[in-house]
Amino acid sequence: RRSSSLLALALLAGTQGQTATPTAVPTLPPPSALITAQPIGDSIFPALGQAGLDVLNYDLDLFVDRPGRSELRGTVVLTVTATQPLPVLSLDFLGPQVLDVRWEGLPAPYRHDQTAGKLTIQPPQPLRPGTLARVTVRFAGKAGVRPDPDLPIDVGWQAVPAQGDRVGANFTLSEPDGTRTFLPVNDHPSDPATFTTRVTVPAGYTAAASGVERAEVAAPDGGRTFTFEQAQPIPTYTLAIHVNQFERVDAAAVPVGVAGSDVLRRDYFPVGTQADTRAAYTSTGEILKVLAEWFGPYPFSAYGSAIVTPRVPALETATLSTMPVTSSNTRVLVHETAHQWFGDQLTLADWSEVWLNEGFATYAELLWAQAQGEAGEDIVRGWYARAGRSQTRPLVATSEAQLFDTTAYIRGALALHAVRVTVDDAAFKGYLRGWVAGFHNRPVTTADLLAYTRTRLGATAGAALRLWAESPELPPFPQR
Ligand code: ARG
Ligand code: ZN
């Protein structure tokens, strides 16, 4: 009771930061109603997200006034619903200062705890299942910081300062939970959403984002506003936003979308990108065709890459893979393209299940090599040797340090190979296509894949996957 009235006070205090609109804030409900925001309960990141919250769409208006710096400002309208009554909304947000929060257009009390990374919002009445609400958050300032134990960089909003003849740039690199450094979100892959993203940039700059470009209009002082629509739901960490002096290169559409529809093709190269960096991307169309043959229709309306100059990991940002100059090769491009199905369309129920992304994306590297006429045995042998040299573990991760380790990628890929060698390639193709087709409407787990494997391919395949998923040791080399 005591802590709940403190929270009520804190919520009140938050509203006093609002200076922009002199509108009266609605009266607060009894304090007891304010204490029930439960996180999703991720086993690796227990504080992320809100249980029972379902964000359907983020409509984002972002202004990047000085590319290359970490400041940004914007307004986001979240269309939300709930799977259980929610007396408060609790969004993940480390990022810029909150200026103003509105619930269906009316000022709403809020509290922004930038240390905890939570923006708590008080609706006029609880959000109930079957009802929709539009929540508007206006923000401005420096992006939040989210260090990654695995990487020399912070994840989230990247600021690339001007250097030599290179202009300043910005981009998102958010896996696993960096989107909350610049946007209030339900930052968990189990709550994918659609996005409308408008980005306003200064003269000479181009913005690119996940989805199909819908408009490009003039903004003050020679700037431009670019609008992108991502009409299929994607996890928050897969949202791409890029600001740079880009050359956009369009290529022929590839008819591998749902029901044979065209997938638009565009890549974004920073002005001055070398020819050998660009060369890798001429294979994108062919990669889409080969992977769509194995996995089923490409899930989105556009695909391509945005090239970035810092040495960071490549990332499977939806419809627009984020590709460092240093990773501009076919193998990495195949890997990120495969993630469009595994990670972006099929989403994780829990971060401990990330091998379901990385194992399938790594396996795609073998499928591509074989489509180029290679036998691929050397690749599988190489994987097995690598797995043997590193510490192994069951596939479901138990710590943050394990998320992107050799087990997730290499043992994950070998587990799929262990399934493949129990059947013929036609059956294996049907298996991969059936996994994507049958499981993209709800977040997936290893238990789902095990059950699906048994029903689809039988006991031998099921037992093979189970051994590779669960054995503390590295299982024997998979052979027919
Ligand atoms: N999913 C990315 C890839 O394999 C790797 C991201 C690594 N992220 C990290 N926080 N360590 O394509
Ligand atoms: Zn990957």
Side-chain angles (χ1 to χ4, degrees), residues 56-62 75-77 79 183 193-199 209-212 214-215 226-232 234 239-241:
L56 303 176
N57 174 260
Y58 297 90
D59 188 300
L60 171 64
D61 233 317
L62 195 66
T75 302
V76 61
V77 182
T79 303
L183 194 63
T194 59
F195 285 84
T196 305
T197 309
R198 280 177 298 280
V199 190
S210 291
V212 176
R214 291 291 184 217
F226 295 82
T227 303
F228 300 87
E229 189 184 329
Q230 171 63 39
Q232 301 82 15
I234 54 166
L239 175 68
I241 300 175

Side-chain angles (χ1 to χ4, degrees), residues 46-220:
L48 283 183
Q50 182 178 17
L53 172 62
D54 181 5
V55 181
L56 303 176
N57 174 260
Y58 297 90
D59 188 300
L60 171 64
D61 233 317
L62 195 66
F63 295 81
V64 179
D65 302 322
R66 308 205 36 200
R69 300 169 56 110
S70 69
E71 284 84 4
L72 70 170
R73 61 189 173 95
T75 302
V76 61
V77 182
L78 298 87
T79 303
V80 298
T81 185
T83 56
Q84 65 192 57
L86 299 177
V88 292
L89 215 69
S90 172
L91 300 171
D92 298 301
F93 194 38
L94 288 162
Q97 221 56 45
V98 174
L99 303 177
D100 179 49
V101 175
R102 284 165 187 268
W103 191 278
E104 294 291 351
L106 296 174
Y110 67 89
R111 183 169 62 98
H112 188 199
D113 181 341
Q114 278 171 295
T115 313
K118 290 287 181 183
L119 171 61
T120 311
I121 300 168
Q122 176 70 57
Q125 63 275 316
L127 181 64
R128 299 200 176 278
T131 63
L132 289 182
R134 273 164 315 147
V135 183
T136 306
V137 180
R138 206 158 57 83
F139 54 89
K142 263 189 191 307
V145 176
R146 197 298 202 185
D148 190 297
D150 211 33
L151 300 174
I153 56 154
D154 301 325
V155 295
W157 187 248
Q158 306 291 308
V160 189
Q163 202 190 10
D165 52 9
R166 187 168 296 148
V167 299
N170 295 92
F171 64 95
T172 58
L173 196 82
S174 302
E175 192 180 18
D177 60 338
T179 303
R180 63 194 180 115
T181 67
F182 66 95
L183 194 63
V185 279
N186 195 29
D187 210 358
H188 195 268
S190 64
D191 185 17
T194 59
F195 285 84
T196 305
T197 309
R198 280 177 298 280
V199 190
T200 301
V201 295
Y205 276 88
T206 298
S210 291
V212 176
E213 186 171 339
R214 291 291 184 217
E216 183 188 322
V217 299

Side-chain angles (χ1 to χ4, degrees), residues 175 314-316 335-336 339 357-359 361-362 365 404 409:
E175 192 180 18
L315 188 64
E316 62 265 32
H335 181 106
E336 305 314 332
H339 272 306
N357 291 356
E358 299 307 341
T362 304
E365 299 170 29
F404 303 102
Y409 286 75

